[in-house]
Amino acid sequence: MRLNRYLALCGVGSRRGAEKIIADGRVRVDGKVVLLPAFRLPEGALVTVDGAPIRPEEMRYVLLNKPAGYVCSVSDKFDPVVTELLPEEFANYRLFPVGRLDKESEGLLILTNDGIFAQEILHPSKGILREYRALLDREITRKDVRRWRDGLCIEGRTLKPVHVLIEEEEPRNRWVTVVLAEGVKREVRIMAKALGFNVQSLIRRKIGKMELAHLPTGACRAMTRGELWRAIRHGALV
């Protein structure tokens, strides 16, 4: 097994994150520093990170309905973090959020200690779309929606959603559905701002075909890797 994959299986982080840890000289195999992510581990090798032995841990997968006010991180000096919402049974697992929702956003969030799974979910080649509901501070016109759909050039970069739709919900012409294919930080808020709107509420409603329906705000649900993939690929109300 390659060293970077082994580190990811141990919950150290994604494969890319593991590569940085290796490059920084923090990883030893049988007492010797190894700097090659593709290094093939001999059977029974002792791997350490910062001097501490690591071994593959049981992979856990948790779906959380994130409330506003929590940061998508495992630690923060100033704000509460999403891992604080998890039951005590997950305390011994180094779970981390897959992707991000900003502090004031809500909705579906996956947490896991499986770095390889996290990388698969986030990689654009997998084609996993994210759907959001956004409440704007004023009414949006169909002309604005067309501009949004066509893509917006912001700071030299074009941001283009897969789809934007005005919802038939009160307050009228202020709720929109936005579907994204990539995970640019604060993308919905940035695009809305470029059109002259502020987002007052933002909820991630879908990851792939998995849709938020029953999970209360702040609650979580443990799933297996297979259950989660089936929900994302084939659809499920959670």
Side-chain angles (χ1 to χ4, degrees), residues 37-53:
F39 177 81
R40 291 280 180 179
L41 288 174
E43 187 174 349
L46 174 63
V47 181
T48 62
V49 176
D50 298 331

Side-chain angles (χ1 to χ4, degrees), residues 175-191:
W175 279 104
V176 293
T177 293
V178 184
V179 180
L180 303 178
E182 55 183 346
V184 177
K185 186 177 180 180
R186 299 178 66 86
E187 186 172 0
V188 175
R189 296 184 189 275
I190 290 171
M191 289 189 291

Side-chain angles (χ1 to χ4, degrees), residues 99-169:
R100 288 182 176 272
L101 287 172
D102 63 58
K103 179 182 174 182
E104 297 309 322
S105 295
E106 309 170 46
L108 284 177
L109 181 69
I110 298 169
L111 295 101
T112 185
N113 55 351
D114 185 343
I116 295 173
F117 172 82
Q119 188 177 40
E120 290 175 347
I121 289 288
L122 295 173
H123 201 281
S125 66
K126 297 297 181 181
I128 298 173
L129 304 180
R130 280 83 168 168
E131 181 177 301
Y132 299 82
R133 296 183 68 230
L135 176 63
L136 306 177
D137 60 339
R138 59 185 177 84
E139 291 188 4
I140 188 170
T141 66
R142 299 192 182 281
K143 181 179 179 181
D144 291 324
V145 169
R146 285 195 296 271
R147 287 181 59 202
W148 200 336
R149 287 175 180 166
D150 289 341
L152 302 163
C153 185
I154 301 170
E155 296 182 355
R157 179 176 184 177
T158 299
L159 299 180
K160 185 175 181 179
V162 175
H163 192 55
V164 181
L165 177 70
I166 300 175
E167 294 188 8
E168 296 293 330
E169 185 174 337

